[in-house]
Amino acid sequence: MVYTLPKLPYAYDALEPVIDAKTMEIHHTKHHQAYLDKLNKALEKHPELQKKKVEELLKDINKVPEDIRTAVRNHGGGHYNHSLFWQILSPENQEDFIGAVSKGLKESFSDLKNFDEFKNKFEEAAMSRFGSGWVWLVVNKDKKIELITTANQDCPLMEGRIPILGLDVWEHAYYLSYQNKRNEYVQKWWKIINWKKVDELYLTALKGKEFSA
Ligand code: MN
C-alpha cells in the first residue's frame, strides 16, 4: 500500500478571501504531496509498515525503525496533519463554537470569560510558535481540551494527545496573501473553521479514537 493524496471537500478557491486559491492548490498538490512521496519512499525500506495506518505509525513512533524514524515523524506527520487540516476548514461561515466541543472548551478553559478571550489566547500561541509548526486543540488523557503548539510537522499523536483542530503556521500556508503578517492570517482563519467537524472529532476523541487520515 502507498499513501495517497486525499481529495479536498471543497474547491481551491472556496476559502477565499481568507486563504487564496493559489495557496490552497500549492499547499495541497505540492506540499502535502511531497510529504506523501517522502513517506512512501521511506517505507519502501520497511514494507511491513506499509500496512499500517499513518496514525498508528505516529502513535508508536518509537517503535518505528530508527533508520526511517525521522522521515516518518516529519513526512508521516506532514501527511496526517494536513489531512486533518483540510477537513476542519469550511467555506461556510461558522464563527462560533457549536455542540459538545463548545461545552468542553468552556470547562477546559474556565479561566477565560468568553470566546474573544479564547481567540486571543489561541492567537498568542500562534504568534509565539517560532519558525514553522502548528497550533492545536487536543484532547488529553484526562479528556480535557488543551491548547498546544508543535514544531515542524510533529503530530500531537506522538505524545498521546488526540488533535481535534490544527492551524498550520508554516509560511507556505499563508505567505502569498499575508507575507510576514501571520497575525492577520490567524485572525481571519476563525471565519473558515468547520466547527461541525471539530465537534465530531471531539466526540470521537472522548472515546479515545483519533481522526483517520
Ligand atoms: Mn502546510
Side-chain angles (χ1 to χ4, degrees):
M1 182 183 100
V2 289
Y3 297 97
T4 53
L5 192 65
K7 285 205 167 62
L8 297 191
Y10 37 74
Y12 288 129
D13 63 359
L15 305 178
E16 290 197 348
V18 179
I19 304 180
D20 65 274
K22 192 76 185 162
T23 295
M24 285 301 292
E25 185 177 354
I26 295 171
H27 204 171
H28 183 237
T29 63
K30 305 292 185 206
H31 291 279
H32 191 165
Q33 185 65 55
Y35 296 120
L36 283 160
D37 292 344
K38 288 173 184 165
L39 174 64
N40 286 329
K41 182 93 190 126
L43 292 178
E44 283 173 11
K45 291 182 198 150
H46 296 276
E48 73 282 4
L49 297 180
Q50 292 172 339
K51 293 186 217 93
K52 296 207 172 212
K53 290 182 162 187
V54 68
E55 50 270 28
E56 301 300 329
L57 295 176
L58 293 168
K59 284 195 288 185
D60 280 335
I61 191 71
N62 290 323
K63 289 190 194 151
V64 172
E66 212 173 342
D67 62 328
I68 62 162
R69 194 177 300 154
T70 301
V72 170
R73 177 178 179 164
N74 290 340
H75 306 299
H79 171 41
Y80 187 86
N81 296 344
H82 286 85
S83 298
L84 185 137
F85 185 58
W86 309 134
Q87 292 299 321
I88 58 97
L89 301 180
S90 165
E92 287 170 51
N93 195 328
Q94 302 177 11
E95 264 196 86
D96 286 318
F97 301 138
I98 56 157
V101 71
S102 162
K103 199 164 161 267
L105 283 161
K106 279 175 195 151
E107 281 166 13
S108 300
F109 297 93
S110 54
D111 56 321
L112 302 179
K113 286 188 206 79
N114 51 45
F115 187 43
D116 283 339
E117 283 197 7
F118 172 78
K119 282 206 246 185
N120 288 339
K121 196 176 167 81
F122 193 99
E123 286 164 16
E124 277 167 25
M127 293 310 290
S128 63
R129 166 45 60 190
F130 181 73
S132 297
W134 290 76
V135 188
W136 302 98
L137 289 180
V138 298
V139 173
N140 67 19
K141 292 212 163 82
D142 300 324
K143 315 276 186 210
K144 290 275 182 295
I145 301 174
E146 290 177 21
L147 171 61
I148 63 165
T149 72
T150 58
N152 306 314
Q153 293 297 346
D154 284 358
C155 180
L157 289 175
M158 295 191 315
E159 44 187 57
R161 292 163 155 135
I162 301 179
I164 60 170
L165 174 146
L167 170 61
D168 188 345
V169 293
W170 283 58
E171 280 188 346
H172 69 224
Y174 62 86
Y175 201 83
L176 291 182
S177 290
Y178 299 95
Q179 294 86 46
N180 59 320
K181 295 169 291 224
R182 182 189 283 185
N183 58 331
E184 280 185 25
Y185 159 67
V186 179
Q187 281 159 11
K188 291 190 178 156
W189 178 73
W190 295 109
K191 292 186 200 299
I192 54 164
I193 297 176
N194 185 346
W195 286 109
K196 275 184 215 154
K197 185 71 190 179
V198 177
D199 192 48
E200 184 190 311
L201 293 174
Y202 173 64
L203 292 169
T204 307
L206 288 180
K207 293 178 196 151
K209 280 292 290 174
E210 66 286 332
F211 167 76
S212 183

